Amino acid sequence: RGTMGRALALMLGAVQFGGPAALTAREFGNAINMAGRQRMLTQKMSKEFFLTAKGYAPEANRANLAASLALFHDSLEKLINGSAADGIPAAPSDYSLRHLLEERKLWLPFKATLEDSMDKDTIPAAALDYVRTWNMPLLAQADKATAALVLDANKADVQTAGPQVDLAGRQRMLSQKMSKEAVMISLNMDMPAIQKTLKGTLGLFASTHLALLRGMKVVGLTSTRSICVLQQMRVVSDVWEDFQAL
C-alpha cells in the first residue's frame, strides 16, 4: 500500500461512525473506499499501457497492467455482488447498482482492448487511441459510482468520513493521472492540449494537498490534527517536491 493509501486508511480509522442501518458503517466504508480506488486504477492501468507502448520496461509494465486489470475487475464485481470475505456489501440501492452497472458497461470493452493489445510487440494505434479516448469517461463513471455509495450511506444515516477522505482518495487518482499525462506527452499524444491538462492536474494535486493539511472552511474541511496522518502527509510532501523537480 502506498503512502497516500496509508494516510487514507488512517483517516478512515479515525472517524467515528454511528446510527442504525441495515449495513454497518464498516461495510459502507469498505465499499466507498474500494469504489474510490477504482478511480485511481483507471489512470494507473492507462499509464501502464502507454508505458508498454513506449517500450519502457515493457515486461514489468505488462505485469503491472495485468495486476491492475485483475484488481479493477474483481473489485467491480465485488461492489456489484458483494464479498463477505472482504466485508463488501452488494450494491445497497438501485441507484448505486445502476451506476456500478454503467461502470461495468464501460469497463468490459476497455478491458478487452487492453488484454488484446498489451502483449503485442507493437501496440496498435487503434488501441492507443481507444484507451486515450475512453480512460476519462471510465474515470468519470467510477467517480459517479463512488458518489452514489456515499449517498446511500448518507440516506442510511451512516456518518461517512466526509470531504477529508474523499479528497485524500482523489489524490491517489491524481498521482496516477499526472503520471499518465507525462507519458502521453512523451508519446506526443494530444499535443499541445495534454500539456495544459497536466499543468492543471499538478495544480489540483498541490492545492488539494494544502487543503488536506490546513483545512478549507468553505467545504467543511477541517485541518489535519492526527499525528499519524500528519507523518504520512509529510512523506507525501517530500515525494511531491521530488516529483515537481523532474
Side-chain angles (χ1 to χ4, degrees):
R1 180 185 292 177
T3 298
M4 280 182 288
R6 287 192 291 272
L8 181 57
L10 288 165
M11 290 176 186
L12 282 166
V15 173
Q16 296 296 317
F17 296 100
L23 297 177
T24 67
R26 182 175 296 277
E27 287 174 321
F28 269 119
N30 289 343
I32 291 167
N33 191 38
M34 181 177 283
R37 186 179 64 188
Q38 297 288 83
R39 299 176 295 189
M40 177 273 291
L41 288 171
T42 68
Q43 300 306 287
K44 183 174 184 288
M45 68 182 76
S46 299
K47 175 198 72 177
E48 291 160 350
F49 186 66
F50 292 149
L51 283 170
T52 300
K54 185 174 174 61
Y56 180 81
E59 293 308 314
N61 277 298
R62 284 190 181 99
N64 291 337
L65 176 55
S68 297
L69 284 164
L71 181 58
F72 188 101
H73 187 80
D74 290 348
S75 297
L76 183 54
E77 293 305 310
K78 289 174 182 178
L79 288 165
I80 292 171
N81 300 307
S83 171
D86 297 286
I88 302 294
S93 73
D94 289 341
Y95 180 69
S96 56
L97 177 60
R98 184 165 68 250
H99 280 293
L100 288 165
L101 291 176
E102 185 63 28
E103 185 176 336
R104 182 200 266 167
K105 182 179 178 181
L106 292 173
W107 163 242
L108 291 178
F110 193 87
K111 174 175 177 283
T113 298
L114 292 174
E115 289 178 335
D116 290 346
S117 306
M118 59 188 284
D119 290 326
K120 295 182 178 179
D121 292 335
T122 300
I123 303 295
L128 287 170
D129 188 60
Y130 186 93
V131 174
R132 177 190 63 80
T133 301
W134 286 100
N135 79 91
M136 291 304 294
L138 181 59
L139 167 60
Q141 187 57 41
D143 192 50
K144 290 178 182 178
T146 304
L149 288 167
V150 171
L151 182 61
D152 284 344
N154 291 339
K155 286 184 175 180
D157 290 327
V158 174
Q159 181 186 350
T160 61
Q164 189 176 45
V165 168
D166 182 55
L167 289 178
R170 188 178 67 180
Q171 292 292 79
R172 293 188 298 186
M173 178 274 292
L174 290 174
S175 69
Q176 294 297 325
K177 184 173 182 285
M178 67 180 75
S179 299
K180 177 205 73 177
E181 290 161 354
V183 179
M184 290 176 69
I185 289 172
S186 74
L187 289 168
N188 201 35
M189 297 175 70
D190 284 350
M191 292 287 284
I194 194 64
Q195 292 174 311
K196 183 177 180 180
T197 301
L198 174 57
K199 185 177 180 180
T201 306
L202 290 165
L204 182 57
F205 185 96
S207 62
T208 302
H209 185 66
L210 287 177
L212 286 166
L213 286 171
R214 301 175 182 175
M216 185 180 293
K217 290 183 179 179
V218 70
V219 295
L221 182 66
T222 59
S223 60
T224 299
R225 294 186 174 89
S226 167
I227 298 300
C228 292
V229 174
L230 285 170
Q231 288 174 340
Q232 291 299 321
M233 293 293 287
R234 178 60 192 173
V235 175
V236 173
S237 296
D238 292 341
V239 173
W240 173 238
E241 288 176 4
D242 291 340
F243 186 90
Q244 285 182 298
L246 295 177

